[in-house]
Every structure is written in C-alpha cells, then in structure tokens.
Amino acid sequence: MDLAESLASLRSILHSFISSVDKLPITQQGCPLRIRTKHFFSAEFIIPKERDCTDLHATLIQLKPDSYEKLYCFLYQAPNYLEKIWDPFLLATEYIRMGVPNHDWKVEDSNSNFDMCDTYPPLIYVPTSTTKSMVIGSSKFRSRGRLPVLTYLHPNGASITRCSQPLSGFSARCLEDEQLLQCILKTNSQSNTMYIIDTRPRINAVANRAAGKGYENEGYYSNMQFKFCPIENIHTMRGSLQKLLDVCEMKNPSMNQYLNALDNSSWLQHIKAVIDAAIFITRAIEIEKKNVLIHCSDGWDRTAQCCSLSSLLLCPYYRSIHGFRMLIEKEWLSFGHKFSDRCGHIRTNDNKEQSPVFLQFIEAVWQLSQIYPTAFEFNERFLISLHDHSHSCQYGNFIGNCEKDRLDLGIKERTYSYWNYILQNVNDFKNPLFRPQSSYASEVLLPIIYPQTLKFWLNMYHRFNSGVLPKETIPNTLTHLVDHTIALSDHARLLEKRIRELRLTLENGITTATSNEDIHELQENHNIISFIEHDSGLSENELNQTTVESIQPKLTKFLQPLSSSSDVESGISSDYSPNNKLFTSSFTLQHQSSSEINDMPTLERISFELNSIALDWCSYHAPFHCSCSLPFDSAQRKYNCWRCGENFCMRCIEHGIRLPGLYSNNLVPVCKTCVRSIKLSPLFIDYTMSNKSNYRNQTEIKSSTLVIDQKQPMEFSINGISYQKEEVRGERSIRREQYCCDQYVDIALK
Amino acid sequence: MDLAESLASLRSILHSFISSVDKLPITQQGCPLRIRTKHFFSAEFIIPKERDCTDLHATLIQLKPDSYEKLYCFLYQAPNYLEKIWDPFLLATEYIRMGVPNHDWKVEDSNSNFDMCDTYPPLIYVPTSTTKSMVIGSSKFRSRGRLPVLTYLHPNGASITRCSQPLSGFSARCLEDEQLLQCILKTNSQSNTMYIIDTRPRINAVANRAAGKGYENEGYYSNMQFKFCPIENIHTMRGSLQKLLDVCEMKNPSMNQYLNALDNSSWLQHIKAVIDAAIFITRAIEIEKKNVLIHCSDGWDRTAQCCSLSSLLLCPYYRSIHGFRMLIEKEWLSFGHKFSDRCGHIRTNDNKEQSPVFLQFIEAVWQLSQIYPTAFEFNERFLISLHDHSHSCQYGNFIGNCEKDRLDLGIKERTYSYWNYILQNVNDFKNPLFRPQSSYASEVLLPIIYPQTLKFWLNMYHRFNSGVLPKETIPNTLTHLVDHTIALSDHARLLEKRIRELRLTLENGITTATSNEDIHELQENHNIISFIEHDSGLSENELNQTTVESIQPKLTKFLQPLSSSSDVESGISSDYSPNNKLFTSSFTLQHQSSSEINDMPTLERISFELNSIALDWCSYHAPFHCSCSLPFDSAQRKYNCWRCGENFCMRCIEHGIRLPGLYSNNLVPVCKTCVRSIKLSPLFIDYTMSNKSNYRNQTEIKSSTLVIDQKQPMEFSINGISYQKEEVRGERSIRREQYCCDQYVDIALK
Ligand SMILES: [Zn+2]
Ligand SMILES: [Zn+2]
Ligand SMILES: [Zn+2]
Ligand SMILES: [Zn+2]
C-alpha cells in the first residue's frame, strides 16, 4: 500500500448501497465480516467475538427497508438549492421532437389507464394504419401485453419498434399481431422488408417455445428478416458481474491469473455482445434503411439495452446531457425496466431478479465514449453518478418497476428528482472534450468493436482501490485547461475593447483630463466611444486607414457584437450561471458586454477590471489540500478561482459571481475570500446578480468529513463500536453533503 | 472498415524497417507475399504469377544491407535545418551532475583504449578505495571483462553498480572481485549490507554454472544480500513479441480468443517483470538506503533495462527530455547494449541475436507514463520515435553494438544525430501534462504495479490499424489547449500593460495629441511610461490610491518584470524558439517585453498588436484536411496559427515568428499566409528574428505524399509493378520529409 492508499479509508456507506454482508469462516483472530456494496466497495473486518459479529451482521441486514415506504427518497431532505420540483417529463414532447405523430405514426390511447399493459406508458405510438383490434389482439398475443410500439424514428424514415416475445409456442399465431407488423413495415417505403431482432441467443428463444412463448413463426410473417443477437439472460449477467468483482478482489494476482480471471468472467464479452447488437441495429436503420423490431423475452432488459444504445449511436441528441436523460426516461423508465427488482431496492425483492442490466448499458456507453472522446456532452462522472443513484434510492426517479408503480407511490409529489440534482451541478458532469460541431458529435456513429478496444473500467469497479488507478486523471486536467482558456479569451476580449476605447479617447484629443471625474464627465457628455474596429483578419492596408474621418461611419459596426471573434471554439464554453438551463444545449459564448456598450468606464474601474482576473492559474496538479484543509482526491472536482487563480474545493468556491474583467456576463467560480474582497469595492455594485433566488446556498452544505489518524490503521468502528480491521480495499471520500446522516453506516478507521 | 480506415493505405516503407518478407502457400488467386516491418506494419499481397512473387521476394530480401557501410545513415541527406553536428555527449558531465568523482568514487582509466573491456566506455567509475589490481582482476573474472562499475549515485549516497555474471562455475572465486565488491559496499555508510541482484530467473543462473559462469558464491561474498528478479532471456522475449504481433494480426477474434492470445503471449507479464525488478531496486536505494549491484549474463540486456528503469524512478532529471537522452546514452549506448545485433540492422546479423529488449524498456517507460501522466516531460510520440529510430538506421546513434564500434565507423563524423532531430522538433515531443513542480515530477516514484494497471499499447502495436484506436487522441487535444492558454495569457499580459500605459497617458493629460506622430514624440520627450502597477492580488484600498504623487516612486517597480504574474503554471510554457536549447530544461515563461519597456508604442502599433493574435482557435477536432489538402491523422501534430487561429500541418506553419501582440518575445507558430501578410506591414520590422541562421528552412522539406484513389482499393504496386492487394492492415502517413527516397519501397494502392 502506498501513501495514497493508506490515506484512503472508508467513512460512511449509505445503507442502500450495501449489497451483501457475509460472515466468513472464523479464524484465530476472530470472526471475519465482509461488506460489499453496490458501488463496488468491499471490506473485510475481523470481529473478535463471534456473538458481536452475529449481532452486527443481523443489524446490517435489517438496515435494508422491507417496504417501498421506508426507502431513503421518502426521508431525504436535500440542501436548499434543490427543490422538490419535477421538471415534467412528457413522453409526447420527445415523440414530437422526432416528428411523431405524422402521416405514418399516431398516438394510441388504449393504455391510458394501464389497462392493456401495466408496464407500458399510458400513451403509445403505433402505425396510422393500425386498428384498435390489431392493437388489442397483438397485446394479448405478446408476453405481459407488451405489443410492438414505436420507440425511435430516424430522420430517414426507418424506425425502431419494441415489444416482448410472442406467446407463439410451437404453432400458435395471431392475425392481429401479423397485421400490426405489416403496418409497421409499410411505414417505411424505402424497403420491402424489415428486421425482427431477437436479442436472445437462439437456443434460449427456442427453449421458450416449450413454455408457450418463443419467437415469431417465420412462415406467418411475410417480408420479415429474422436475426438473433445473442445477449445472455439476467442470471448469466449477474454471475458474470460477480466474477468480475472477484477479479477486483484478487490479492496480488499475476498477470496470467488476472487475464485468465478476466476472461473467465466473460464480462467484456457480454458488453461487446450488447454493443455489437446495437451496431447491427444502427447499420440496419442508417445504411439498409430498414425498420427494426426488437424484443427479448419480456422486452424490458436486453430490449431496453439495444433500443437505447442504438438510438445513442443513431441520434446525436441522445449524446447530450439533456438527450441522454430523455433516452433514460423513454427506454428505461417509461417502458418499464424493473429498476427496483434489478437493483434490489427492498428486502423483499427476489435476489434472483437482481441483475446488472442497467450497469451494462452504462458501461457500454462509457466504452463508446472512450472510442469517441469528443462525441458525448457528459463525462465519466455522470455515468458513474447515474449508476450509483439507480441504487441509492435517494431520488425518486428509479424507484419501482414501471411508471404505474411510481404513480402509485406518488414519487413526483414526495421525492426529489435526480435530474434536478444534475441540473444544479451540471458543470461537474460535462465532458471537456465535447465538441458539438465535430463530426463525431453530430453524425451517426458506426464503430467496429475490436476486443482490443474495450477496456476494463477501472474508475467504476476499482474506484475504491486508488493504487490501481492512474495517479492523475487526464479529464480533470482537461476541464481545468478548458476553463482557463475560456477565462483568458473572455478577459482578453474585454481588454481589447478597452484598448480600442482608450485609443479613441486619445485620438479624439482630450484636453486637460487630469482627474478621473473629468474623463468620466467628458465621456458622458460626448459619448466618445466610436472607434475603428479592426477584424483580426484585417490587412495592413486597412490598418493604415486609421483616420479620424473614417470613425463616424464605423460607429454602428462597433455597436454590434464583435464579428471578429468567431465561435469556432465556443463549444467548449461552460456557462457557470445557474440560470443557464441545463436542457437547452446552448453552447455559444455570450457576446454581451459586461457593461453598457456606450458607457466608457472610468479609469478607476478599468483598474478594477484588470485586477479581477488571474492570468496565471495554479496548476491543477499542485495542491493536495484545499485551503480549508480538505484533501483533494480524483473523485471530486477541483475549481480554480477565476480571480486569484488558486485551487479550491466545491465548498470553498462560489459559482454565481460576475467578474468585471470579463467581456461576457457569465457567472463564474470565485473563491470565498475573493468574493468577500471584491464585494467590498464600491465599484462592484454593477456586477451583483439579478436573480438571487437561484443562488446556490453554499452555507447549507454540511461539512461532515471525518478526520482519520493514520497511525493506528488497524482499528475501526462501525456505528461507534470499535473493531479490528483486516483489509479495507481503499476508498475515496463520498460527497457527504448529498446525503442525510441517519441513512449511513459510519465506518471509521482510527 | 470505416472511412478513416479505408483512407489509410500504405505508401512507402523505409527499407530498414522491413523485418520479414515471407512467401505464403500458393492460393487460387496467386502467390501471397507477406511483408512485416519493425514498426509493426503487416500486409499480405497476392502476386498472380509465382515467378513474380519469387523475384519480388528476392528483391526485397536483397534490400537489407550486408555491411555497416551500406546503412542508411551514411547516405541520408537531412533537410537543411539539421546539421551534421553532434552535441558532444560526455559521460563525465553526467557523472559530475551526480556529484562524481567525490570522496567515495573515482574515475578509472584502465579502459581508456578499450583494452580491458571493449564493450564498456573508456572512462569508468569505481570506489576510491579500489586498486588497479582489483579492477583488472575483477574484469578478468567477469564475463566479457564487464566488471562492476558505478552507473547511478542517489542523493542519499546509495548507488547502483552494474556488471556481467562472474566466471565462477561451481566453485571458482576471485579475491580481487570480492574486494571490489567490499569497496562498493563501503562507499555507503548507511547500511552494512548491499544487494547483488541477478535479473535472471534462478534456474537460468544455475544453468550457467555448468558453462563456467553463473552467479556469485554466497560463501565468498560477505554482507551481500542475493536476490533474483526473474526476467526471461532474449529468446523468450523474441518469441513473446511474435505472439503479441500474432494477436494484432488476428482476424475478428472474439473477446475470449483475444484475451487468451494476449495471455499466451505473456508480453505484459514480461513487461511487469521488468518494472517490478526496477521497483525493487528503487525501494532498496530510496527506502532501505542500500547499494545495489545488478547483473544478468553479459550485463547488456536485462541489466540495461533494470538500471535505466530504476534510475528513471529514482531521479526526476531522467524524466525530462534531456535527462532521458542522458539515460539512453549512459545505460544503453556507453555500456554496450548491442543495438545492431538486437535490432538486426544488417543482413549478416544472426537472427537469433534479435530481441525486443530496448522496446520492452520503452514500453515499460510508457506504462509508467500512463500511471503518472504528469511526471514525464516527453510524450508517447517521443517514445515511439525513439523505438522506430533504433531500427531506422537513419541517424548514427544506434548503429553498432558498443561505443568502440561507433568510433571505428566514424559515426560522429559521417552521420546525423537523432538528438539533433529531436532538438529541432522538440515541441512535437513534449507532454502537455508535464508539471515540473508537481510532486510526481520531482520525487522518487514508488508505484505498485497491478495487472489491471498495465495496458496493451495500442498506439505502438496497432498504429497502422486505425479502427482499433480511439477516434480522437486526448493528448493532442491537451497540447492544443495548453498552447491556446499560453497564447491567451501572453496576449492578455501585453494588453494589460498597454491599458496601464494608455491610462497613464490619459491621466497625465496629453494636450492636442491628434496624430500618432505627436503622441509618439510626446512619449520620447517625456518618457511617460511610469504608471501604477497593480499586483493582481492588490486590495481595493490600494486601488484607490491612484494618485499622481505615487507614480514616481513606483517607476522602478514597473521596470522590473511583472512580479504579479506568478510562475505557478509556467511549467506548461513551450518556447517555440529554435534558439531555445533543448537540453537546458528551462521552463520559465520569459518575462521580456516585446518592445523596449520605456518605449510607448504608437496607436497604430497598438492596432497592429491587437490584430496579431487570434482569441478563438479553430477546434483541434474540426478539420480533417489542412488547407494544403494534406489529410490530418493522429500520428502527426496539428498546429494552430497563433495569428488566425486555424489548423495547419507541419509544412504549412512556420515556427520562428515573433508576434507583436505577445508580451513575451517567444517565437511562435504562424501559418505561411499570416507570415506573408504580417511581414508586409511596415510595423513588422521590430519583430524580425535576430538570428537568421537558426531559422528552420521549411522550403527544403520535400512534399512527397502520394495521392490515393480510394475507388480501386484492391490494386497496388510495389516499386512501380502492379499487383493485387489482399489485405493491408491500415496505415498512417509517414513523415516522408525525414527520409530520402531511394531508401523506400513504394507501395501504392491504386
Ligand atoms: Zn480567489
Ligand atoms: Zn475547501
Ligand atoms: Zn494564420
Ligand atoms: Zn498543410
């Protein structure tokens, strides 16, 4: 263990993260207790007395709620900046974005009371030519009533529809279902055939026939191309993840043992199977221009994976933060992925129902983001957060198994929304490499996945074992550099403006302007801000035309936003304003001036502007502690104060400040010391925020990080009771302020 | 194959890169010929007539020189900017840097004519207490006369010495050798014992005893701790690399097949063994404070790997570009790593002598650079270049098997030096993440290597298979961002200075300064550049003291370099000046003003300054072609013109331009169009370079990239003869300008 590792030690685990508590065979030192969590922490503790161990084991087991009503989301009190407001997700708006309803597709209301299919949304979309009887007939012929419905419409007219397996057995047929599929085929005039993709291995599909289910009989469905994309079932996936986690827990494996164990887990093979299926669908839609109908057994696990991943490849919108949210809402939440069953939210959920289906989707997205680092607006932290909060039960979004469950539980009235949390912290989740203008960010992605391409996701599965991770994270450095570049170009833009103004003042020959007041008065009287605006591409000949005569006609030009500053790079602009609506994907640098354009500032104010921006920023890598003494670790984002350039932790920085030295009006991060100092100035008055209510209330955030004494690393306590530690697999501090404390097991190393 | 892949197609291969040409079993289409290269390109061609195939095979085989005199380095004519000048490497200066000779260590001249050991350098370093007879006796007792000599002295006094195996057999002993080792032990008073590290597996060492060699008899050497670090021999390593390359050539392997084949190659296991040995040595020196003597069999393969890697971990200097050069010169070149034999430079070299020993070292360094991304000054491109040029024979550095060979061949008189090439292109080889001030860059590195930590080096082994690589390279984006940040802060620094000057001009109340000439004259007469210099950390109280009275005392302060601009981030400064001596490791931003400090510029000049710098840069990712139509690929560095902000290839950019809008005097990259335009200006005169002779002559660089027609990808020609293509594993364009054409096999896809 190196220093970084011994520094890392577990403090608190949210109850809902605990996935298993196991008593291991008694040793001479005592009774070992192993705790594993759903966010891949694992630790073994030696409890000297077996009786204590049994008690502790029972206590920890009992922590898991036995009913939905006891879930954390119903107790959680968020910091003030989060409100119990749910941005209403209307499935219809997402379909409208895709141009639906249209000539080919219509809304169908047969399920408006969840009567036809309780795991589908109230509104479904089917071909215009479909009749009510086809819909009802097909629904009866499909497992759990999950009939074929539209889920994605590509701009070229090809569509993705999804459903569950037919109750066909060996020979049963359903004319309405066959007709419905013909209607789907006919929505797309570009092809005479369409794909029916069964995402199961053929052998599984065949086995289902014996149970009266299975897959479509090819003889009854004309013009259909059948294709199996072999993705294994939830039980195989659960086993595979466990083997992968065993790889993570191996002690000092050789390279040989490691590669063998990784191979045996088949985890990456399963991830590849999911991505390969999505790529097949993407090619069918984009290149073959054919409709695709996707199902597995019940159509809520593998089907959700394939529909959402192929949509992500097909449509750049889903690669934005807002679009990705829509994708989750549509494919996973509204079409009934059983989050509570798959994640095991409550004690009564069947263990055999748990499976890392959503995790596999998240990892597949991460693997794609490694291949296309500029194509996704969100970063790795976002994906990890999304996975964790599908388990945390802190927000209501992922509770229950379908929309009906969440409606019955009153989730929207009684809990906070995860998306609101993301919105309020959106700068933490943005990918600094994202370029909306780049071709990978704006086009259909058609990768080929080689085994060499897929990586072991260290930051997900090894996040508590810092020894395995690189000593610095490059994306964090990137974020730092992007922010610094934005700060400097924004500042330089203002400086260039000021120089032009001052030049003009000089050219106009101000006489005896000896005091600031005089100059200020002069400006107000004569409004002398007209000057020659040179585009940066201007030739030298034009440069030499700096004559007083040419000033007046160019006045209007000056009053326009600077055309010389092209927006080529502006995709990297991150607006720190809480007013910036997360879900609008606006990436253009604001070209407002920080003061009224024709109000030339006083010289005093120019000084103030000059001193409000640090040209040099403290290196991202330099300090290991914030000035508040909180140690920095790679899980948390470090912020540079735009005024002094130093590094600060999230608690020591304010995000809602307008600095006078910037050309734009953007709200930027400034440390509390600088905020205090800048607010003292009488000149600051112009720059205060207009909208106080949106101001993130930093003082509400609790500081509850425990201090660890490194000298006695072998002792620890759980909920105040001391024990002896055997092995703890690293740890990184959790952002405690997100949680409320009674939901924690406190494990402190002493 | 996606577009990027089909774009990629082989054009030219330097003869010296061809590693094998194999006729494969005849098929119906014709006779397949496989070409593999030392930089990991592999292609199979179908030659319709067997006779042609035989001829071609013979021709290609004959291309390999049969004597040193025919090697490429003796023919190569470099572009004008490279001169046939060898920066003299004096081993002595590197020892002086380590503080040697000193009280404990002295220079020994017994080998000044290579009489004692022809594979050692003329000067060697041994303990002060050593006698001539000990040196000669020990040399006779060691394989190939390679006696224990000093190679690294740590600041704490612990040292690394290196040698070959003793000719001990089962019982032979040598008193002088035993005495020499006692002398080494006594140079370090901190420990009573020292390590003798045999980098072979014990079984190999034992087997050598039967041949009269082996390892030291523990009974004869007191106070020595013996340790085996099992690294396999050159034959195992050669086989392992071949298996790794077979993995790369697998067609559509499953994840399972891939992981199995990777495991079977044992390549990463061997890399881990080398790094683990180096870490053991590092801990012995740094933590146990013990001397370490390292040997394998002859002490020029595994010993070179372990000595150089542990030095790299121990000493931050070796992690700089200059230091890394010194490390190669010392551990690999001067101590006789057999580059010509291991790389197979000439036809007569025994194939059984070839082995990727140097490649393994390079890869081990790369793996460490992945764990510590901020600790190394050089980037991946540097490591790949170094590997490639150990094979290319283009520069004289790596020719022959020892210093004596190179002296006999007159390398320094007759060839160009690789280091000179690196010096002239140093900005291409700098790691944008490097922070000399960061702790990882300035301290001893003590990693723990987990199997999960080591990666398959895609950019080395799969460089010609772009489908496997990520679609964008993050380090390139980082370089882009770092450069942009430097440009902006440099520009902003000048703008702030100008604003202060203009302010003061206004405050001093210039009367009737209506023309530029008048203002300029005024400045010259009154020298009115004194003004109030505000540090960016200045409080608001101080700000308000802007009174004329306070100006004079502060004049001196203004004439100093700006103290307000701290150098915290200056490690990222890349000086584009060819004058910048590569090997001085100076990383501070120059704080010279771009014009005389007390020469206030005319308003016209201020305009010129403002228009000389682009605030927005074209995104690194945006264009796929340079304006000269050369396609960009990830192997080549893209440059942003600092004036217009557009992307250009290396040929379309000039590096030696001083832009008036920068505070510093740095030479920066500007595109040829902008250079032309800026040079037309009468105002440019101040900024021309002082030292014309150092100016890189870009016009000398030949443009010889062939144009590929994508429409008939199945035909190709070798040296003008057309054939049918079967499979070409991708390709990236080679920087042709580095080479001269008659050394190439031209393979053109038609
Ligand atoms: Zn600050
Ligand atoms: Zn802090
Ligand atoms: Zn340009
Ligand atoms: Zn070009």
Side-chain angles (χ1 to χ4, degrees), chain A residues 223-268:
Chain A
N223 301 316
M224 299 287 152
Q225 288 176 269
F226 290 86
K227 159 89 184 166
F228 289 95
C229 286
I231 301 173
E232 299 292 340
N233 66 22
I234 59 166
H235 311 295
T236 307
M237 298 310 192
R238 184 176 57 246
S240 173
L241 177 62
Q242 192 46 61
K243 283 184 194 160
L244 183 81
L245 298 180
D246 291 343
V247 174
C248 297
E249 289 186 32
M250 285 168 86
K251 292 175 190 174
N252 294 321
S254 72
M255 182 58 72
N256 187 276
Q257 290 167 324
Y258 162 71
L259 285 174
N260 262 312
L262 183 63
D263 183 16
N264 282 334
S265 80
S266 293
W267 181 256
L268 288 173

Side-chain angles (χ1 to χ4, degrees), chain B residues 626 628 649 652:
Chain B
C626 177
C628 74
C649 78
C652 293

Side-chain angles (χ1 to χ4, degrees), chain A residues 449-455, chain B residues 247-250 253 255 258 456 458 462 465 468:
Chain A
I449 304 299
Y450 299 82
Q452 294 94 316
T453 315
L454 298 188
K455 300 184 206 167
Chain B
V247 175
C248 297
E249 289 186 31
M250 284 168 86
M255 182 58 71
Y258 162 71
F456 188 2
L458 295 178
H462 269 295
N465 187 358
V468 170

Side-chain angles (χ1 to χ4, degrees), chain B residues 614 640-648 652-653 669-675:
Chain B
N640 282 85
C641 169
W642 286 36
R643 183 171 177 271
C644 67
E646 300 292 318
N647 283 133
F648 294 95
C652 293
I653 205 106
V670 176
C671 78
K672 292 192 170 166
T673 315
C674 287
V675 168

Side-chain angles (χ1 to χ4, degrees), chain A residues 164-177:
Chain A
S164 62
Q165 64 186 339
L167 305 173
S168 55
F170 291 103
S171 62
R173 66 186 289 184
C174 168
L175 282 177
E176 291 91 346
D177 191 66

Side-chain angles (χ1 to χ4, degrees), chain A residues 501-596:
Chain A
E501 290 164 355
L502 287 166
R503 253 195 71 193
L504 196 81
T505 312
L506 277 172
E507 283 183 329
N508 280 10
I510 297 158
T511 45
T512 62
T514 45
S515 79
N516 294 338
E517 284 71 25
D518 288 353
I519 290 174
H520 193 59
E521 211 169 278
L522 250 169
Q523 290 154 8
E524 285 175 353
N525 295 341
H526 303 281
N527 199 5
I528 48 173
I529 303 305
S530 58
F531 76 107
I532 311 245
E533 164 70 18
H534 289 304
D535 287 1
S536 41
L538 217 64
S539 78
E540 285 65 30
N541 294 339
E542 292 176 83
L543 272 179
N544 295 332
Q545 294 171 356
T546 316
T547 55
V548 181
E549 294 79 41
S550 62
I551 292 175
Q552 275 314 314
K554 297 204 177 180
L555 176 63
T556 4
K557 189 175 179 193
F558 171 56
L559 292 171
Q560 303 295 319
L562 292 181
S563 60
S564 64
S565 24
S566 78
D567 279 348
V568 179
E569 195 71 342
S570 57
I572 59 172
S573 154
S574 49
D575 185 352
Y576 282 89
S577 157
N579 294 328
N580 175 26
K581 279 281 158 261
L582 165 64
F583 298 138
T584 53
S585 281
S586 71
F587 289 98
T588 46
L589 202 76
Q590 287 172 277
H591 274 142
Q592 309 155 244
S593 163
S594 57
S595 57
E596 286 302 295

